[in-house]
Amino acid sequence: MASITLENVGKVYTGGTRAVGGVNIDIADGEFIVLVGPSGCGKSTLLRMVAGLESISEGEVKIGNRVVNNIEPADRDIAMVFQNYALYPHMSVRQNLAYGLKNRNTPKPEIEKRVAEAAEILQIGPYLDRKPRALSGGQRQRVAMGRAIVREPAAFLFDEPLSNLDAKLRVTMRLEIKELQKRLGTTSLYVTHDQLEAMTLADRLVVLSAGQIEQIGTPLEVYRKPASTFVAGFIGSPAMNLIDAKAVPHLPGTAHAGTIGIRPEDLSVAADGPIEISVTAVEELGAQRLVHGHTQGERVTVALPSDSELSDNLRLAYRPGALHLFHRETGKRID
Amino acid sequence: MIENRPGLDFLAHLVLILGVAIVALPVWIAFVASTHPPSAFVSGTIPMLPGPDLITNYSRMLGSGVSSSGTPPVSTMMMNSLIMALMIAIGKIAISMTSAFAIVYFRFPFRNLAFWCIFITMMLPVEVRIVPTFKVVADLGMLNSYWGLSVPLIASATATFLFRQVFLTIPDELTEAARIDGAGPMKFFRDILLPLSRTNMAALFVILFIYGWNQYLWPLLVTTSSDYYTIVAGIKRLADAVDGVPQWHLVMATAMLAMLPPVAVVIGMQRLFVKGLVDTEK
Amino acid sequence: MKRTAFTNQLLPWLLLAPQLIITFVFFLWPAAQAIRQSFLREDAFGISTQFVGLANFKALTGSAQYLNSLQVTAIFAICVTVLSMGVALLMAVAVDRMIRSTSIYTTLLVWPYAVAPAVAGILWWFIFNPTIGILPYLLEMVGYDWNHMTSKSDAMILVVIASAWKQISYNFLFFVAGLQSIPASLREAAAIDGAGPVRRFFDITFPLLSPTTFFLLVVNIVYAMFDTFSVIDATTEGGPAQATNILVYKVYFDGFVGQNMGSSAAQSVVLMLIVIVLTVVQFRYVEKKVAY
C-alpha cells in the first residue's frame, strides 16, 4: 500500500502538442480516486504516466515516497486493468494470473496460494483452466482484476475497465469493484468518461478538461459546488442548465454573473415562478419526466414528477440556494 | 445457387473432371513409366498402364542409383533436399521474425533504413544476380556445403512483412500488460509473440518448405560434389545421362520421388498451405 | 508502429543482424557488383578490365540475339500467363457453382503447386518425347510431325505448357477466393434483372474480379520471367536456335557458360529494372485493392 503524488505533471509530445499540463494530485494511502473527463482530456495519458507506459515530460510522480519517473512499469509496484482486458489469449486463466508472479520469481507454492485466493474472491475458480476466449465479457473482466489482485501491488490502475461491458453488467461490476477495493484497501486510480461511474466509485473525483484539472473533490462536493461551467455541465445527469445571465436579468443576486446554472431537479412548476419556458419536448423516464424548452433563446430542462401537469408554457421556480453563478470570461464559479 | 440448371451443373463437373485429368496426366504417365522395365521404351510409345517393375526400379534408385550418371542414390539426394529445405524454411522464419520484432517493437536510429534494406531484397531474385552471388559464395568457401545451399536464400522481405503485419495486429495493451507483468523484450517475444504467431509460422513453413525443396538453379551451381546433390537438381544430371539416352524408367522414378514430399505436404496440410499462400501475397 | 516501444538500443540491432548481414553479403553486395561489372569490359583472358561506360548496354541494344531473347521472353510470358490464368479461371468458375464437392476438386487441383518447375519440365519433356512420347504419337495420327528438338514453335509450345501447367493451381486458388468474395446478392440482383448465366459472368462477375485478375497478371508475369529458368534448363536449354532463350536463361548462359561478364552484368541490370517496375506496379495494386 502506498500514497501516490503527482507534482506539476505534464506531457508534451514530440512535435510540441501538449496533452497534459501542471497536474497536482495527492492520493492518500487506500484512497479511490477517479479521473473523469470527456475523451481527449488527457486522463488516460495521466494514468499511463503513472503506470510508466508513457514517459513523463514534466514534473514528478511519486509512488510511496519514491520518485518513479525513470522506473520501468514492472518495478513501480502497480497493477493495471485495461479496457479490453489484455488477457494473454494463448494462456489459461490460471497462467494469466500467474504470469506476473512467475516473472518476479515468486516461489511456486506462493503463486498457487495467491491465485487460489484471487479466484475465491472473484468467484472464477471454475474457469481457471479455460482460455480467455471461452469466457464471457464479465468473466474476462474478473480475470483482468484477478491479475491485478494476485500481485498485491501498492496501487491499482484502472483504464476504463467497464466500457466494453453492456449497461446492466456495468452496474453490477461497478459495485463489485467498489466493494473489492474497500475490502483490500489498495490505493486506486481509475479512469472513466462516464460521470455516473465516477460519482458512484470515487472517494474523490478529479475532473479533467483539455489536459488541465478543473476540480478535485468528493462526489458530493463536486456535484454541489461545481468549480466551473465545464464541471457543472459534465457532472450530474440530466446536465445542469447553463443560462446566459442576460436572458434572465430579473433573477435576484445575479447581476455580477456571466452564466447562471440551475440543476433540472432544482426546478419546479409554480404559477408565480420567475422563469417562463415554452415546452418543445417531453421525455418520460418512468419515475419522473424531463421537460425540455427554452426561455429567451436559452435551452432549459426541468425534471418533474411524472404526474405533473403539462402545458405549452410553464412557469418555473427554483429551490432557494440552488443557483450557481459563474464568471463570464473564465467560466469559474463565483461564491 | 441462383437457379437450378442441371445442364450447367453437368458442364461444370465436366470441365472440372477434364481439368483434373489434364493436371494429373503428366504425373500418371511418369508413374506408369517408373513401373516398367527399360525394354518397354524401346518399342514405340509409352504404355498407359503400370508395369511389373515398381519395386525393382524404386529400390534401385533409392538404394544405389545410377552410378554412370555421376549422381548418388536418390535416398542421399532426398536427404540433402530435406536438410536444405528445412534450413531454408526454419532460417527464413527465424531471421524474419526477429527482424520484424525489432522493426515493430523498438524505436532506434536508422530504423527506416534497415527496413528499406530488407525491402529491396524483394527486387533482387537470385536469377538476376546469379553470377556475382556465386562468386561471393565461392570466395567464402561455401561451395559444396549445406550452408552454401541454404544461407544465401534465407533473407526474405516477404516473410519479414508477413510477421510485421501479424505483430501490428496484436493489441498494444497486451504488450503493456506484459511490461507491467515484468516481461522484458525477449521474454515478451518468447512468451507472447511466439505462441500468438504459431499458426502464421506453420503456414509460412509449408510454403517455404516447398520453396526450399524445389530450388534448382542454386543447388546446381554450388554443388559440384555429388555428396551434396539435391534431388530436384539431380534429376537433370540423371536425364542428361551417359550415351545421351536417358533411362526413362529410372528418371521418372526419381521425378516421382522428387514430387512426393512437397505434394504430400500440400495435400496433408491444405488449410495451412492456402493460408500461407494468401498471407505471403498480401 | 506501436504505441509502446521497448527502449533498448542495442537489442534491435542484434535482432536485425542476421537478416541484414545476409542481405548485405548475398543481395546488396552482389547486386552492386553486377552494376559495377556492367560498366566494365574484361579482355579475353580476364587479366585486365577497363571502364567502358554504357558500351555494354549499347552492345545489347545492337545485339540480334538479345533482341530475339526479349521477343521470346515477351511471347513466352504472355502465353504462359494467358494459358494458365484462362484455364484456372474456367475451373474456378466451375468450382464456384459447386456446393458440396468444392473441397474435393480443390484438393485435386492444387497439388501441382508443389511440383518443382524443373520436375514439371522433365515430365512434359517425356510426354512430348518425339520417339516414345504419348502426345507426338497422337499428333502423328492427325498428321502433325512433332519435334521440339528441331522445331522452334514446338519447343516454345512445350515450355509454355510445362510452365503454365504448374501455375494453374496457384491461379485457381486465388480466383476461387476472388469469386467467393463477390457477394451473392449482386448476382442474384442481376438474375432478377433478367441476366442469364453468361451475361452475369461478363457483366457482374468478371468486372468485380478485376482486382484479383490484375494481381494474378503481375504475379504470373514475374513467374514466367524469372521462376521458369529451371523449366527451360531442364528441357530445351534455350534452343533450338535460341527459340526458347528467355532473358534469365541468357544472363546465366552468357555469364557462366559464355564467360562474357560485362554483357551478362548489363543484362542483370536490365532485369533488375524490370523487377523494380513490376514490384512497384504490384505495390500500387495492394494500395488500391479496396477499389471494389
Side-chain angles (χ1 to χ4, degrees):
Chain A
M1 317 278 149
S3 59
I4 301 177
T5 313
L6 281 74
E7 265 176 38
N8 228 353
V9 170
K11 176 75 188 179
V12 182
Y13 286 107
T14 38
T17 325
R18 174 174 285 280
V20 173
V23 167
N24 290 290
I25 310 174
D26 276 310
I27 304 170
D29 186 9
E31 198 176 14
F32 199 126
I33 293 283
V34 176
L35 301 177
V36 65
S39 62
C41 72
K43 56 191 190 298
S44 277
T45 309
L46 208 52
L47 186 80
R48 293 165 58 78
M49 284 197 277
V50 176
L53 298 172
E54 201 86 63
S55 65
I56 299 162
S57 353
E58 295 163 355
E60 268 183 0
V61 173
K62 284 190 207 161
I63 298 176
N65 285 318
R66 184 169 64 136
V67 177
V68 295
N69 283 34
N70 295 313
I71 291 177
E72 279 289 302
D75 304 326
R76 292 190 182 193
D77 199 14
I78 46 106
M80 186 152 165
V81 180
F82 293 87
Q83 177 174 356
N84 64 5
Y85 322 131
L87 300 177
Y88 310 120
H90 57 295
M91 298 185 192
S92 67
V93 170
R94 188 190 302 279
Q95 288 166 326
N96 262 287
L97 296 182
Y99 188 63
L101 297 173
K102 220 176 80 194
N103 286 339
R104 288 178 173 75
N105 301 318
T106 314
K108 252 208 165 113
E110 174 70 14
I111 296 181
E112 274 165 31
K113 192 181 125 239
R114 291 212 213 165
V115 169
E117 278 170 12
E120 166 76 32
I121 293 172
L122 295 162
Q123 298 155 16
I124 50 174
Y127 318 121
L128 276 179
D129 293 309
R130 288 201 200 162
K131 294 273 171 68
R133 69 168 168 277
L135 303 180
S136 69
Q139 290 164 345
R140 286 181 207 183
Q141 180 57 55
R142 287 210 175 86
V143 176
M145 299 206 332
R147 189 162 65 178
I149 293 176
V150 291
R151 293 263 318 280
E152 297 178 5
F156 291 142
L157 306 178
F158 297 90
D159 190 3
E160 309 231 11
L162 301 181
S163 45
N164 280 11
L165 298 176
D166 64 54
K168 201 169 159 203
L169 201 52
R170 203 148 56 207
V171 175
T172 328
M173 291 303 296
R174 193 166 79 194
L175 192 61
E176 279 190 30
I177 291 182
K178 175 109 180 163
E179 286 170 353
L180 186 68
Q181 197 268 343
K182 286 291 161 254
R183 179 168 159 193
L184 299 173
T186 309
T187 315
S188 299
L189 191 55
Y190 186 110
V191 161
T192 181
H193 63 274
D194 179 340
Q195 59 90 18
L196 190 61
E197 205 172 293
M199 293 281 285
T200 50
L201 280 170
D203 291 333
R204 276 193 301 155
L205 285 177
V206 178
V207 185
L208 287 158
S209 164
Q212 307 276 336
I213 293 183
E214 292 278 332
Q215 188 170 11
I216 302 182
T218 65
L220 279 183
E221 277 167 15
V222 174
Y223 178 80
R224 285 182 183 150
K225 290 193 157 195
S228 63
T229 47
F230 173 81
V231 178
F234 192 76
I235 299 290
S237 175
M240 183 187 284
N241 295 303
L242 293 169
I243 304 165
D244 192 327
K246 287 180 197 143
V248 282
H250 50 287
L251 294 188
T254 63
H256 54 300
T259 308
I260 295 166
I262 315 172
R263 293 208 178 271
E265 52 270 36
D266 289 336
L267 287 166
S268 57
V269 179
D272 57 348
I275 304 168
E276 180 173 22
I277 64 167
S278 53
V279 176
T280 53
V282 179
E283 289 180 288
E284 297 291 355
L285 299 182
Q288 51 178 203
R289 56 169 48 130
L290 294 182
V291 178
H292 301 277
H294 47 78
T295 178
Q296 309 291 321
E298 298 285 304
R299 296 189 65 92
V300 175
T301 299
V302 202
L304 297 175
S306 52
D307 55 358
S308 57
E309 296 237 342
L310 290 177
S311 59
D312 288 349
N313 289 292
L314 290 175
R315 292 203 77 87
L316 303 172
Y318 52 87
R319 234 169 22 85
L323 285 191
H324 304 264
L325 307 183
F326 300 101
H327 192 270
R328 180 173 300 282
E329 274 84 38
T330 63
K332 295 282 178 235
R333 181 182 190 85
I334 304 168
D335 276 317
Chain B
M1 222 44 247
I2 297 166
E3 75 272 87
N4 196 10
R5 292 202 189 188
L8 270 185
D9 283 341
F10 176 76
L11 191 69
H13 278 289
L14 196 70
V15 162
L16 286 167
I17 290 166
L18 212 66
V20 170
I22 291 173
V23 158
L25 174 79
V27 177
W28 172 251
I29 289 179
F31 173 70
V32 168
S34 71
T35 60
H36 280 276
S39 56
F41 304 96
V42 184
S43 58
T45 48
I46 321 163
M48 285 307 287
L49 290 171
D53 280 4
L54 183 131
I55 294 172
T56 321
N57 291 344
Y58 281 81
S59 55
R60 167 155 180 217
M61 287 319 290
L62 285 169
S64 60
V66 183
S67 49
S68 59
S69 71
T71 51
V74 167
S75 51
T76 307
M77 294 199 287
M78 287 180 85
M79 184 49 80
N80 289 338
S81 286
L82 181 70
I83 292 170
M84 176 178 72
L86 288 177
M87 282 175 80
I88 290 175
I90 294 168
K92 270 197 187 223
I93 289 174
I95 69 171
S96 305
M97 270 194 101
T98 55
S99 329
F101 178 50
I103 286 171
V104 173
Y105 283 100
F106 292 86
R107 244 153 267 174
F108 52 94
F110 305 114
R111 185 169 146 276
N112 272 329
L113 185 72
F115 186 73
W116 279 100
C117 274
I118 296 169
F119 178 76
I120 218 162
T121 61
M122 234 177 193
M123 308 194 181
L124 300 168
V126 69
E127 287 81 4
V128 167
R129 57 196 159 79
I130 191 79
V131 180
T133 312
F134 175 79
K135 203 166 168 301
V136 167
V137 172
D139 291 346
L140 291 172
M142 288 167 78
L143 298 180
N144 290 315
S145 72
Y146 292 122
W147 296 111
L149 277 172
S150 54
V151 173
L153 301 178
I154 68 176
S156 170
T158 321
T160 309
F161 286 174
L162 167 66
F163 284 118
R164 177 175 164 270
Q165 217 55 42
V166 172
F167 294 166
L168 285 177
T169 61
I170 291 175
D172 281 335
E173 285 81 359
L174 229 47
T175 320
E176 293 168 355
R179 283 183 75 184
I180 291 176
D181 270 345
M186 289 320 288
K187 213 172 216 170
F188 169 71
F189 183 69
R190 198 193 64 205
D191 291 348
I192 315 289
L193 281 189
L194 268 183
L196 287 180
S197 327
R198 253 197 327 237
T199 333
N200 303 86
M201 285 164 75
L204 192 60
F205 180 86
V206 170
I207 300 296
L208 293 178
F209 179 83
I210 295 167
Y211 165 86
W213 182 277
N214 287 348
Q215 282 303 312
Y216 175 78
L217 172 60
W218 189 245
L220 206 60
L221 290 179
V222 300
T223 60
T224 49
S225 150
S226 63
D227 293 349
Y228 291 99
Y229 282 5
T230 64
I231 186 162
V232 171
I235 289 184
K236 154 86 168 163
R237 292 185 165 105
L238 204 59
D240 285 349
V242 280
D243 304 330
V245 181
Q247 303 192 304
W248 285 114
H249 58 303
L250 299 179
V251 174
M252 288 301 132
T254 312
M256 291 303 293
L257 290 168
M259 281 185 268
L260 194 63
V263 170
V265 165
V266 164
I267 293 176
M269 303 187 216
Q270 195 175 324
R271 247 195 45 242
L272 280 178
F273 161 69
V274 173
K275 177 176 165 54
L277 266 194
V278 175
D279 282 357
T280 45
E281 286 308 345
K282 90 116 262 88
Chain C
M1 272 302 251
K2 287 282 180 180
R3 187 169 65 197
T4 48
F6 294 106
T7 47
N8 314 46
Q9 287 299 301
L10 181 62
L11 187 60
W13 288 109
L14 290 177
L15 291 166
L16 278 166
Q19 175 102 300
L20 288 181
I21 290 170
I22 290 171
T23 301
F24 184 78
V25 174
F26 298 108
F27 283 75
L28 300 183
W29 174 253
Q33 286 301 307
I35 294 169
R36 198 180 71 95
Q37 259 318 329
S38 68
F39 297 109
L40 301 176
R41 181 166 293 160
E42 277 182 25
D43 65 20
F45 308 100
I47 299 164
S48 70
T49 51
Q50 68 179 111
F51 182 79
V52 293
L54 292 171
N56 287 322
F57 294 94
K58 280 210 189 90
L60 284 185
T61 58
S63 154
Q65 270 202 15
Y66 191 72
L67 296 178
N68 169 66
S69 177
L70 266 178
Q71 194 187 352
V72 165
T73 308
I75 294 172
F76 175 72
I78 291 168
C79 291
V80 170
T81 303
V82 170
L83 183 62
S84 65
M85 283 180 67
V87 174
L89 180 59
L90 185 66
M91 293 200 237
V93 170
V95 153
D96 198 41
R97 280 193 71 83
M98 304 295 157
I99 297 154
R100 271 159 301 163
S101 42
T102 309
S103 69
I104 301 163
Y105 281 122
T106 304
T107 307
L108 288 173
L109 286 169
V110 297
W111 58 266
Y113 176 86
V115 177
V119 174
I122 298 261
L123 294 182
W124 287 97
W125 181 248
F126 180 55
I127 290 179
F128 276 115
N129 185 293
T131 46
I132 58 168
I134 180 90
L135 291 178
Y137 174 76
L138 295 174
L139 287 169
E140 207 179 336
M141 295 205 292
V142 296
Y144 187 87
D145 185 16
W146 174 276
N147 193 340
H148 55 247
M149 314 272 195
T150 53
S151 161
K152 288 173 130 187
S153 54
D154 287 1
M156 178 58 97
I157 291 170
L158 169 66
V159 290
V160 165
I161 289 180
S163 306
W165 174 78
K166 192 204 121 60
Q167 193 66 359
I168 288 173
S169 45
Y170 183 93
N171 295 338
F172 170 78
L173 276 175
F174 278 87
F175 272 134
V176 169
L179 286 171
Q180 282 170 352
S181 69
I182 297 174
S185 57
L186 285 175
R187 275 178 283 181
E188 285 162 4
I192 291 167
D193 283 341
V198 177
R199 251 215 113 79
R200 276 207 302 276
F201 177 80
F202 285 105
D203 290 351
I204 311 290
T205 310
F206 195 69
L208 289 177
L209 206 55
S210 65
T212 308
T213 311
F214 181 70
F215 158 76
L216 285 177
L217 211 58
V218 177
V219 170
N220 278 274
I221 290 171
V222 171
Y223 164 79
M225 288 191 68
F226 299 99
D227 299 344
T228 51
F229 172 92
S230 40
V231 176
I232 307 276
D233 191 52
T235 57
T236 62
E237 294 184 343
Q242 310 281 332
T244 55
N245 198 3
I246 60 170
L247 291 169
V248 270
Y249 198 73
K250 195 166 155 52
V251 169
Y252 157 82
F253 197 84
D254 290 354
F256 273 98
V257 186
Q259 291 290 318
N260 188 348
M261 289 307 170
S263 173
S264 172
Q267 295 179 39
S268 288
V269 172
V270 173
L271 278 179
M272 280 183 217
L273 293 176
I274 295 175
V275 187
I276 289 170
V277 169
L278 287 171
T279 313
V280 169
V281 169
Q282 194 171 349
F283 268 73
R284 270 272 164 96
Y285 153 77
V286 172
E287 276 164 30
K288 274 195 245 155
K289 201 156 60 174
V290 283
Y292 282 107

